[in-house]
Amino acid sequence: MKYTLTLLLLIFSVHIYSIKNWLPYINNISRMEYGGGTQNWTITRDNNGWIYAANNSGLLQFDGYSWHLFSNGMIIRTAYHDGKERIYVGAFNNFGYFSPDEKGAMHYHSLSDSLEDKYRNFSDVWDIYCIDHSIYFVSYNHIFKLTNDEITVIQSKERMLCSANINGNLYVFKENAGVFLQTGQLFIPLASTEKISNYHISEILPYQDQKLLLITEYHGIYIYDNSTTVPLITQNDPLLKSSQLYCAEIKDDKIYIGTIKSGLIIADIPTGEIEQYDIRSGLQNNSVLSLNVTEGDNIWLGLDNGISYLETNSPLSNLYTGNQNYGVGYASIIHNGYIYFGTNQGLYYSPWPIKDIRHLALRPVKNADGQVWNLTAIGKTLFCGHNNGAFMIEEGTAIPLIGENGFWNFTPVGENKSKVLAGSYTGLVLLENKDTESAPRWISTRKIKGFNLSVRYVEYDESDDIWWIFHGTGLSAIKLNSEYSKVVSCQHYPNQNNSYQTNLFKDKGRVYFTTDSGIYRYNSIRQEFELSEEWNQRIGNRDYLRVVSNEENSCVWYMQSGKLKINYITPHGYITDSISTTRLQNNLMGTFESINRVDSATCIISTLDGFSLYRITTDSLSSLSNSYKFLIKKVIISSSNEEIDSYFYNGFPTDRQHQTILRKYRPDASYRFEMNPNTNSYDKITYSVQLKGLDEQMLALNASGIKEYTGLKEGNYTFLIRAYNHHTHQTEVEEIHLRILPPWYRSIYTYIMYVLLLVALGYGIYKLLNQRFNKQHQKRLDELKEESLKREFKLKEEALAQEKRIVELENNKLQQELLLKSQELSNSMFYVIQKQEIFTFMQDELQKISAYLRKEQTKDALRKLNRLLEKVHANIEDEDNWQKLENNFNIVHNNFLSRLKERYPDLTSSELKLAAYIRMDLITKEVAPLFNLSERGMESARYRLRKKLGLSREESLSKFLQNF
């Protein structure tokens, strides 16, 4: 226990750093990654730590996980977040703000569009401040003050080249005039600043009580104290005066300066020390246009081309920068005042300790070009396992020991470590030290007989057994004879259900075996493998792991589930950390990882880029555990037939803040929750989530920070989120309440409707049955009635048939009578015509006789003859015959004569007779004798009739009378 506490004090309290000027871990973000323009003029943060950059292509946003670009079609020069929902921006002849709508989409709103025309040409807006609830937009000759959506214009005759908000006061530097305090519409000059008015002041910073720091482009830094202006002396003023100082911030007596020519410069005011980070330190370029220092002293840099993030509190750092390429790292070690680095290109070294890591220059070891696999120090000898053989390293030169093939490792055997077993591609080789310890001379004695397999994974235990793994076929234990010349026994333990197959490591003289079912050790007495309670409890799970480095009684490094993890002891027990090394996850050479502790708190880790440094201190643990938090970035609910609805945006809820999210049920709805870390730490944070109402317990979330649910039924849900940093420090549980309303067909009102419908249905069924009964009853009644009606109808039909027969008989009788009348009429007409013809003939003859007799003067005879003529004439005009004819004619021709006389009352009896004869289709020749007229006289009579009937010449008299 005493030993353990002493070791802890060494690790966490005594920091004897062998590497000076620790480089911060630099994350370079190219314009291709953030998706914007090259130049970034301003870097600012909101209350949640999200980053906003004024970029050539618009406003950039970084939420800790991804970049977003909001464009308004302008080059944005400056940006300011008001702590609420507005991000004010300034551009050329334009200023305004971005804000999210009710669904979280960002939109730009111009404020300068409301200016009068005479103020519209104000050039670029370079600075934005919030002072006493008013927003100030500063351009070269104008200050626009926004108060309650009203803009006040403050004009300056001189050009204002920089400005600053210090303790609620607005200071400006006017070209060739000095520094002024702006108040109202006035600019009050600061005494003695006119002395440096010819120096281009690029930044004004607060310093101590009522003092100002004036950062000039080429004349260093000045301190203004009420009425005096004096230069600030540093240890490297020439660097400051030649770098073109462009932007600056102050924090805890340190000035962070962005330069155009020399990258980032950090000046410590009390000591005057200068730190510089430029392209040699890993920056993308040396032109820093903007910067922002976080609470954890990490630094965001807006560059002339790209963005960089310097993590000064990160436990990780690059050993050397990207412009120094020594190859992929495989092994490292400190030996005899030098640090060695083995890569795929060769072996390199540098004096130890490293005085200034920023100017680290490695020298190649002679004769060691090519793939280096291993570096092992045994006593005073440094062995190198190389693709070309086994080497001993002395004074910057690789001395070959065995050159027949490649070698993996070196293991000391024997009591005084005078013998070494070297594992090669084709077996084991024994090396022996033939000289004294002061001058070792190692030679290859022999190759071990009976063993000719590749020996990469090998450990030598306290029972003189050599354990090794070969290509995943299983685990083997071999025993050599006392001379280490041949194998005397070999026991193979094949894989059984993937057990005993993966990796082995040594701890306190005992060999342990890692499998997918836990960590085992071999019990030589029982001759069986048994679980190690100590190690399984220490690791905390039985998932497969591969130990990379085991520092007994302190740290063990291992790979598990593709992650590099470190397990170490603290006063509170063992802690496992995997988050702080997450950046290395895709930068490690699989199965060839190498960890080397170089001092009490620093390790070197081999990577694909070379080597990285890892530091464990109480300060870094404290900062990492206290500087992180997480934000709920978005809650997105969408479905196939509905546009996306975002409830949260930029960590700010919309107008539905603190309300339960209400949504209607949709079978294809998706509910996606997006979380983001606080970018102050830039560390990956893990999450555990639970959807109460669906999940039974908190579940680990993947690194994306996104959890999506589909197919949620109606009901009340609570989404719980908890975040963890790499030391398992956890945040409070955050809650989002979600209520999914049932579809209309499952709502309470619909259920009431269902009940009412059931009642209505029951009542309807009752009414239906009752109606059916009544219908059947009525049907029977109707059938009886129908039968009665049928009988009645049949009787009526028979009666109607009888009546019809009677009518038919009567009609037949009438037809017969009509036919008879017509026949009589015809006969009468024929008789009259015949009679008339005879009498006419007799009349004509008698007239002839009468004329003759007159000549003869036979008076008596003549008198008798005249009486006979009169009697014949009288018979010809007998009206009785006509009267009978007229009656029959009216009967046959539907009262023709009566109707004709009624319509034409002026017709005479003769004309009526003529009309009747024409109606009977008698021609003029046949009618003329009936009127005792000639045919010509008859034509005259027809003409008179036509005239009285009102007929024209074109109209036929016969057709008219036929149709009348």
Side-chain angles (χ1 to χ4, degrees):
M1 184 65 180
K2 182 177 180 181
Y3 174 79
T4 302
L5 290 177
T6 302
L7 184 61
L8 287 175
L9 289 175
L10 286 174
I11 295 176
F12 295 106
S13 301
V14 182
H15 305 315
I16 305 174
Y17 297 137
S18 303
I19 301 177
K20 305 298 182 182
N21 296 321
W22 181 279
L23 281 175
Y25 195 90
I26 299 177
N27 297 275
N28 289 317
I29 303 107
S30 68
R31 63 184 297 264
M32 300 303 293
E33 183 176 349
Y34 59 67
T38 54
Q39 296 171 310
N40 295 278
W41 299 101
T42 300
I43 297 281
T44 186
R45 291 177 295 123
D46 63 15
N47 296 337
N48 297 318
W50 290 16
I51 298 300
Y52 295 90
N55 183 268
N56 279 359
S57 297
L59 179 67
L60 288 174
Q61 177 204 66
F62 180 65
D63 55 25
Y65 185 74
S66 57
W67 289 89
H68 308 275
L69 175 66
F70 308 115
S71 176
N72 59 355
M74 294 176 284
I75 297 175
I76 296 181
R77 299 293 189 183
T78 183
Y80 172 80
H81 198 288
D82 68 350
K84 298 177 182 178
E85 291 190 353
R86 287 187 177 184
I87 306 168
Y88 292 96
V89 297
F92 181 77
N93 287 341
N94 199 297
F95 59 87
Y97 63 91
F98 285 91
S99 64
D101 60 19
E102 62 178 3
K103 295 202 173 178
M106 293 287 275
H107 299 282
Y108 178 71
H109 308 272
S110 177
L111 296 172
S112 56
D113 288 348
S114 62
L115 294 174
E116 298 180 31
D117 291 341
K118 62 181 180 180
Y119 298 127
R120 297 294 293 274
N121 190 23
F122 50 82
S123 188
D124 287 297
V125 172
W126 287 99
D127 295 304
I128 303 175
Y129 308 103
C130 180
I131 302 175
D132 294 333
H133 308 292
S134 295
I135 304 297
Y136 289 76
F137 301 88
V138 183
S139 66
Y140 287 119
N141 293 96
H142 299 80
I143 298 175
F144 302 96
K145 180 181 178 182
L146 175 67
T147 305
N148 297 327
D149 295 331
E150 293 186 0
I151 299 176
T152 303
V153 181
I154 304 168
Q155 299 187 72
S156 172
K157 294 181 180 179
E158 300 86 3
R159 281 166 51 89
M160 297 177 287
L161 299 183
C162 81
S163 61
N165 172 21
I166 300 176
N167 299 323
N169 296 313
L170 180 59
Y171 294 88
V172 299
F173 167 69
K174 294 188 176 184
E175 189 175 26
N176 299 323
V179 180
F180 291 76
L181 173 65
Q182 189 278 327
T183 177
Q185 291 285 336
L186 301 177
F187 294 92
I188 303 173
L190 301 187
S192 80
T193 60
E194 71 278 359
K195 298 178 181 179
I196 60 171
S197 61
N198 292 329
Y199 303 161
H200 186 162
I201 297 177
S202 57
E203 199 72 72
I204 304 173
L205 302 175
Y207 179 58
Q208 296 180 352
D209 295 331
Q210 306 300 321
K211 295 181 181 180
L212 300 177
L213 290 176
L214 307 179
I215 314 296
T216 69
E217 277 193 345
Y218 290 107
H219 297 84
I221 304 172
Y222 286 81
I223 300 176
Y224 171 79
D225 186 4
N226 291 329
S227 60
T228 61
T229 303
V230 297
L232 174 67
I233 306 301
T234 69
Q235 295 181 6
N236 197 346
D237 281 346
L239 175 65
L240 294 178
K241 294 179 180 180
S242 63
S243 298
Q244 191 177 355
L245 311 186
Y246 188 80
C247 57
E249 280 193 14
I250 184 170
K251 187 175 186 294
D252 300 332
D253 286 335
K254 284 189 175 183
I255 308 174
Y256 299 82
I257 307 170
T259 73
I260 298 299
K261 300 178 179 179
S262 303
L264 174 67
I265 296 175
I266 302 177
D268 188 280
I269 298 176
T271 64
E273 291 183 356
I274 295 292
E275 298 178 51
Q276 181 187 6
Y277 301 99
D278 54 14
I279 193 170
R280 295 172 299 175
S281 306
L283 292 182
Q284 299 177 82
N285 58 77
N286 286 336
S287 296
V288 180
L289 304 180
S290 57
L291 60 85
N292 187 278
V293 183
T294 71
E295 289 81 357
D297 294 334
N298 296 324
I299 309 166
W300 285 94
L301 300 179
L303 305 179
D304 190 61
N305 185 8
I307 295 175
S308 291
Y309 180 64
L310 281 66
E311 296 183 69
T312 59
N313 64 4
S314 173
L316 280 172
S317 175
N318 290 322
L319 182 63
Y320 45 80
T321 60
N323 60 349
Q324 297 171 301
N325 185 12
Y326 298 104
V328 179
Y330 281 84
S332 64
I333 195 170
I334 297 172
H335 185 72
N336 290 342
Y338 291 95
I339 184 168
Y340 294 86
F341 301 97
T343 74
N344 66 321
Q345 297 181 10
L347 184 62
Y348 302 87
Y349 71 108
S350 176
W352 182 261
I354 299 173
K355 294 181 179 180
D356 192 344
I357 195 172
R358 293 173 300 179
H359 303 106
L360 175 66
L362 300 181
R363 291 177 290 176
V365 174
K366 296 179 181 179
N367 303 327
D369 292 344
Q371 178 69 60
V372 175
W373 296 118
N374 176 271
L375 293 171
T376 302
I378 301 176
K380 294 184 178 181
T381 303
L382 176 60
F383 292 94
C384 173
H386 199 282
N387 184 60
N388 296 329
F391 295 85
M392 182 175 62
I393 309 302
E394 290 184 355
E395 299 179 356
T397 301
I399 301 173
L401 297 175
I402 310 170
E404 60 185 34
N405 52 37
F407 278 79
W408 296 112
N409 49 60
F410 304 88
T411 304
V413 294
E415 296 180 358
N416 55 3
K417 298 184 179 180
S418 61
K419 295 181 176 63
V420 171
L421 285 177
S424 72
Y425 295 175
T426 58
L428 291 171
V429 177
L430 180 66
L431 299 176
E432 292 189 65
N433 185 5
K434 296 298 183 180
D435 290 343
T436 62
E437 292 187 2
S438 60
R441 186 172 65 87
W442 292 88
I443 62 172
S444 173
T445 303
R446 67 183 66 88
K447 184 175 181 180
I448 307 302
K449 296 180 180 180
F451 192 85
N452 56 3
L453 298 176
S454 179
V455 186
R456 180 181 170 195
Y457 302 103
V458 62
E459 289 291 351
Y460 190 82
D461 70 7
E462 71 278 6
S463 300
D464 291 333
D465 289 329
I466 301 175
W467 295 89
W468 65 283
I469 298 173
F470 178 71
H471 295 314
T473 60
L475 182 67
S476 296
I478 63 175
K479 188 179 288 292
L480 304 180
N481 60 4
S482 58
E483 291 81 17
Y484 301 101
S485 60
K486 64 178 180 179
V487 175
V488 295
S489 66
C490 179
Q491 181 66 44
H492 182 65
Y493 304 94
N495 297 336
Q496 296 179 0
N497 298 325
N498 294 328
S499 296
Y500 314 136
Q501 68 162 349
T502 53
N503 186 241
L504 68 168
F505 67 96
K506 197 171 184 179
D507 183 58
K508 300 175 185 177
R510 302 196 65 175
V511 179
Y512 292 84
F513 311 93
T514 64
T515 73
D516 60 354
S517 59
I519 299 176
Y520 290 79
R521 64 183 179 183
Y522 185 72
N523 190 321
S524 58
I525 298 176
R526 297 180 180 178
Q527 294 188 351
E528 63 180 16
F529 293 92
E530 57 187 16
L531 283 170
S532 171
E533 294 183 4
E534 175 189 358
W535 273 99
N536 286 297
Q537 184 177 1
R538 176 175 176 175
I539 298 300
N541 63 69
R542 295 188 178 184
D543 295 338
Y544 162 64
L545 60 88
R546 177 168 46 81
V547 174
V548 177
S549 175
N550 179 34
E551 303 169 14
E552 296 185 358
N553 299 308
S554 59
C555 299
V556 58
W557 297 78
Y558 60 94
M559 295 295 298
Q560 189 176 58
S561 302
K563 297 180 180 179
L564 178 61
K565 299 183 179 182
I566 174 175
N567 178 277
Y568 50 87
I569 190 171
T570 70
H572 305 289
Y574 286 104
I575 288 179
T576 298
D577 168 25
S578 63
I579 304 302
S580 63
T581 59
T582 300
R583 289 180 190 81
L584 299 176
Q585 182 170 336
N586 297 321
N587 199 26
L588 297 173
M589 188 64 181
T591 73
F592 287 95
E593 304 87 353
S594 171
I595 311 293
N596 178 34
R597 183 182 288 273
V598 296
D599 59 39
S600 61
T602 307
C603 296
I604 296 178
I605 304 174
S606 62
T607 67
L608 294 175
D609 295 329
F611 296 90
S612 291
L613 300 176
Y614 182 88
R615 177 179 292 174
I616 304 175
T617 68
T618 53
D619 293 336
S620 65
L621 296 180
S622 175
S623 64
L624 286 170
S625 62
N626 294 328
S627 65
Y628 86 100
K629 61 180 181 179
F630 78 98
L631 305 172
I632 301 171
K633 177 185 175 184
K634 290 182 182 179
V635 179
I636 298 177
I637 304 173
S638 61
S639 60
S640 59
N641 58 351
E642 181 185 24
E643 64 179 9
I644 292 177
D645 185 5
S646 174
Y647 277 86
F648 285 81
Y649 187 80
N650 291 357
F652 299 109
T654 64
D655 55 359
R656 292 162 282 191
Q657 184 177 8
H658 306 307
Q659 296 181 5
T660 298
I661 300 175
L662 297 177
R663 296 296 295 176
K664 293 182 180 179
Y665 168 80
R666 283 183 171 81
D668 59 345
S670 168
Y671 302 83
R672 187 171 67 188
F673 301 84
E674 297 185 7
M675 282 69 69
N676 282 97
N678 184 336
T679 53
N680 288 346
S681 67
Y682 208 83
D683 268 324
K684 300 294 183 181
I685 293 177
T686 57
Y687 305 91
S688 60
V689 298
Q690 179 184 7
L691 186 64
K692 279 191 173 181
L694 180 67
D695 300 329
E696 296 182 356
Q697 59 184 3
M698 299 287 280
L699 304 173
L701 187 61
N702 57 33
S704 66
I706 298 175
K707 182 64 176 178
E708 186 170 2
Y709 296 92
T710 57
L712 293 182
K713 300 296 183 182
E714 66 270 16
N716 295 317
Y717 299 89
T718 302
F719 185 71
L720 306 179
I721 318 103
R722 173 177 284 149
Y724 303 84
N725 74 345
H726 75 287
H727 283 290
T728 66
H729 294 286
Q730 61 187 32
T731 62
E732 295 294 328
V733 174
E734 294 287 337
E735 296 183 355
I736 297 177
H737 298 281
L738 171 66
R739 183 183 179 189
I740 302 177
L741 301 176
W744 65 267
Y745 52 84
R746 286 204 295 264
S747 66
I748 184 64
Y749 302 105
T750 307
Y751 283 125
I752 294 174
M753 186 182 297
Y754 289 157
V755 173
L756 294 177
L757 287 175
L758 287 174
V759 173
L761 181 61
Y763 180 74
I765 292 173
Y766 165 76
K767 292 291 291 182
L768 181 62
L769 294 175
N770 188 50
Q771 184 179 3
R772 182 177 294 178
F773 173 78
N774 292 335
K775 187 175 181 180
Q776 290 177 347
H777 180 68
Q778 185 65 37
K779 182 179 179 181
R780 182 58 182 165
L781 293 177
D782 292 342
E783 287 176 352
L784 295 174
K785 185 177 180 180
E786 186 178 359
E787 290 178 0
S788 176
L789 290 175
K790 283 182 179 180
R791 288 195 297 270
E792 183 178 353
F793 181 73
K794 187 175 181 180
L795 294 174
K796 286 183 178 181
E797 280 186 338
E798 292 176 352
L800 288 174
Q802 189 68 27
E803 291 179 0
K804 185 177 180 181
R805 285 194 294 271
I806 293 172
V807 170
E808 288 178 353
L809 292 174
E810 289 180 351
N811 288 336
N812 291 334
K813 182 180 179 182
L814 291 176
Q815 290 291 335
Q816 292 294 329
E817 290 179 355
L818 183 61
L819 183 61
L820 181 60
K821 290 292 185 180
S822 179
Q823 186 67 34
E824 289 180 355
L825 178 60
S826 298
N827 291 337
S828 296
M829 183 60 65
F830 178 75
Y831 171 73
V832 170
I833 294 172
Q834 188 177 22
K835 175 183 174 184
Q836 193 69 18
E837 289 177 349
I838 292 172
F839 280 118
T840 299
F841 176 75
M842 290 176 64
Q843 184 180 14
D844 290 341
E845 292 297 322
L846 289 174
Q847 285 177 351
K848 291 179 181 180
I849 294 171
S850 175
Y852 175 76
L853 290 177
R854 243 187 257 114
K855 291 178 181 181
E856 295 294 330
Q857 294 182 354
T858 307
K859 294 180 180 180
D860 290 335
L862 182 59
R863 187 169 48 251
K864 289 180 180 180
L865 183 59
N866 286 335
R867 282 197 297 270
L868 180 61
L869 286 171
E870 290 175 357
K871 190 175 181 178
V872 171
H873 183 72
N875 282 319
I876 293 173
E877 296 177 353
D878 189 359
E879 290 296 332
D880 290 338
N881 291 332
W882 166 250
Q883 190 65 39
K884 292 179 181 179
L885 181 63
E886 182 180 0
N887 290 337
N888 289 334
F889 191 87
N890 280 329
I891 292 172
V892 174
H893 294 281
N894 193 19
N895 294 320
F896 171 79
L897 294 175
S898 299
R899 291 187 289 109
L900 186 63
K901 188 173 183 179
E902 183 179 354
R903 180 176 295 186
Y904 303 100
D906 294 338
L907 295 178
T908 63
S909 176
S910 297
E911 290 171 341
L912 289 172
K913 289 179 182 179
L914 177 58
Y917 293 147
I918 295 173
R919 175 70 181 265
M920 293 176 66
D921 287 333
L922 296 181
I923 60 177
T924 302
K925 183 177 179 179
E926 292 174 337
V927 176
L930 298 178
F931 288 93
N932 200 21
L933 294 175
S934 64
E935 291 184 10
R936 176 174 254 177
M938 197 70 247
E939 289 294 336
S940 298
R942 287 173 65 94
Y943 173 76
R944 288 191 296 274
L945 178 60
R946 287 175 60 88
K947 190 173 181 180
K948 286 186 177 184
L949 293 178
L951 300 178
S952 62
R953 288 186 178 183
E954 289 78 14
E955 292 180 282
S956 172
L957 179 60
S958 296
K959 289 184 178 180
F960 175 77
L961 294 176
Q962 290 291 339
N963 296 327
F964 185 80

